[in-house]
Amino acid sequence: MSLPLYARSRALPMTVAVLAAAWPTTAWLADWIVAHSDLGPRARLPLVVLAPVLASAAIGASLYTHSEELDRTAVRPWWPRRACQLLLLTAVAAGLLTAAVPGDPELYGAPAMVRNLLGAVGVTALAATFIGARLSWLPMLVHTSAVYLGAQTGPEDPGPVWAWSVQPGPQPAAWWTTAVLFAAGTCLYALRGARPEGPGSRR
C-alpha cells in the first residue's frame, strides 16, 4: 500500500486538521482562563488535563483500519508505518499544544502539557490494541475524570503516581509513568495494530 493510500485509509489528513485546530483554541482558552481567574497559571490545570485527552482521542480515531484483511496479507511488515504514524501525530500534537501554553514550566505550562499528551496517547494506543480504535478514547477519559475529581495536588504535594495527569511541572514520578505508558502503547500498537472490529473480525 502506498503512503498516500495508507494516509487516507487512516484519515490522517482529517486528524492533522483537528490537531491543528486545537492550537488556536487551546491558546485562546489558556489566556482567557488566566485573565479571568485569580489563581494565575494554576487556573490552566483543567486545560492542561483535558486538551491532551482530546488530542489523544483524535489520534486514536486514526488508528482504526478499514482494511483488516489487507493488513494481514501484506508482504511488508506493518509495524514501521504504525510506529511512524503514532510518533509523528504525537509530535505534531505536542508541538501545537506546547505553543498554546508558554511559560511557567514549574506549574501548569508546556512540560505538563507534553507529559500529559504522552501519557494520554500511550493509554489510547493500548486501548486501541485491546478494545479497538473506536473506543480507544474511553479509558483515558474515565481515568482523567476520576483523577481530576479525586486528586488534590500542589507544588509541594506531588500526589500518587496514578494521578500523573494533574501533577504540576516536571514531577519525576509523573514523567516516568507517562514515559512507560507511551513506550508500551507505541510498541504494542506498532506490533499488533488496533483490535479488529465489526462482523467477522478476528485476531
Side-chain angles (χ1 to χ4, degrees), residues 1-8 81:
M1 182 185 293
S2 66
L3 289 178
L5 182 57
Y6 178 89
R8 289 197 300 273
R81 293 188 181 187

Side-chain angles (χ1 to χ4, degrees), residues 65 68 84 100 126 129 135 158 197 202:
T65 176
E68 177 193 341
C84 287
L126 288 171
T129 304
L135 290 177
E197 303 175 64
R202 59 184 178 86

Side-chain angles (χ1 to χ4, degrees), residues 11-84:
L12 295 187
M14 178 63 69
T15 303
V16 172
V18 171
L19 295 177
W23 172 72
T25 304
T26 304
W28 180 82
L29 285 174
D31 291 340
W32 187 89
I33 289 173
V34 172
H36 291 78
S37 172
D38 59 357
L39 297 177
R42 179 180 288 276
R44 295 185 300 195
L45 173 60
L47 196 62
V48 170
V49 170
L50 293 177
V53 174
L54 297 177
S56 68
I59 293 174
S62 74
L63 306 184
Y64 177 76
T65 176
H66 298 275
S67 56
E68 177 193 341
E69 292 293 334
L70 180 60
D71 287 5
R72 287 203 300 262
T73 58
V75 176
R76 296 180 179 179
W78 281 93
W79 71 263
R81 293 188 181 187
R82 290 173 182 152
C84 287

Side-chain angles (χ1 to χ4, degrees), residues 123-179:
V123 173
T124 300
L126 288 171
T129 304
F130 288 110
I131 66 175
R134 288 176 174 172
L135 290 177
S136 60
W137 54 270
L138 186 57
M140 192 61 219
L141 180 62
V142 171
H143 174 270
T144 299
S145 300
V147 167
Y148 185 74
L149 294 176
Q152 298 294 328
T153 64
E156 298 179 357
D157 178 19
V161 171
W162 62 267
W164 49 267
S165 61
V166 297
Q167 295 184 24
Q171 297 286 354
W175 273 98
W176 277 109
T177 303
T178 55

